[in-house]
Amino acid sequence: MIVVGNLKAYMTYKDIIEYKDNVPDNVIICPTSLYIPYFLNHKYQVGMQDISYYDLGSHTGDICAKQARDIGIKYALIGHSERRNKESLEEINKKVLKTLENNINVILCVGEEKGDNLEEKLTDQILSSLKGVNNLENVIIAYEPVWCIGTGVTPTNTQIENTISFIQSIIQDNFKQDVKILYGGSVDKNSINTLKQIDNIAGFLIGKASTDYKHLKEIVDSLS
Ligand code: 13P
């Protein structure tokens, strides 16, 4: 099972001192970019929470895929719902292409808000984000319903299973390939016991609960 911790902007330098040395092996941690160097050279992988679609150049405040690759980054979250309202679908697509071009794996986040037409929304997000991508070998899709992020609410296993099948069918129809699909949104040491029973799931993208290494370890242990 793939386990990704998205630390968002929860932690200060003081918080990460002990945390970074105690993260379980075999997970992917996406820290605040500023702290990434402290997270490298452990047994876990490190990912970006976002990435620029620019090449190296005069782009104040951006972190380019080439720079990330250079320092050892293997993954990048793209299109997280907490960023999507600041980004167009075209920009997300450009980020996906630039990230893959630099040999960094893309974790493409998709998900509906309450009241959205689920199938329309996901189809639009997935097809527009993956425009121009031919090989999905280095792409993971994270299904994160916006109404489940940080709310303590999760869909039922059947709802998640059906949505994952739906995403897999869009991918099959358009790319004739399979893709790994994660679930994210209020995954913690309690909800994981139910969520881990979902058949077609490749893993989990965890926010708040991943910022406590003991909590994260409990989740990882319960999956093994
Ligand atoms: P929570 O696990 O805090 O609900 O966040 C989910 C998320 O947004 C991970 O990217």
Side-chain angles (χ1 to χ4, degrees), residues 6 8 10 77 80 82 109 144 148-151 184-187 205-209:
N6 175 9
K8 307 192 181 187
Y10 279 118
L77 300 179
H80 193 280
E82 284 152 16
C109 303
E144 298 205 298
C148 296
I149 296 178
T151 58
S186 298
V187 178
L205 174 53
I206 308 165
K208 183 80 171 104

Side-chain angles (χ1 to χ4, degrees), residues 133-195:
V133 177
N134 298 317
N135 185 351
L136 297 182
E137 210 179 324
N138 299 319
V139 175
I140 295 169
I141 294 183
Y143 170 55
E144 298 205 298
V146 178
W147 50 279
C148 296
I149 296 178
T151 58
V153 176
T154 55
T156 63
N157 279 10
T158 309
Q159 280 173 320
I160 297 175
E161 220 163 280
N162 289 344
T163 305
I164 289 178
S165 297
F166 175 71
I167 295 173
Q168 209 59 270
S169 74
I170 302 174
I171 295 294
Q172 265 301 333
D173 289 352
N174 290 277
F175 299 91
K176 312 279 176 264
Q177 295 168 50
D178 286 331
V179 71
K180 294 191 183 79
I181 304 175
L182 315 180
Y183 167 79
S186 298
V187 178
D188 62 21
K189 61 185 177 190
N190 299 314
S191 60
I192 196 70
N193 292 314
T194 305
L195 294 167

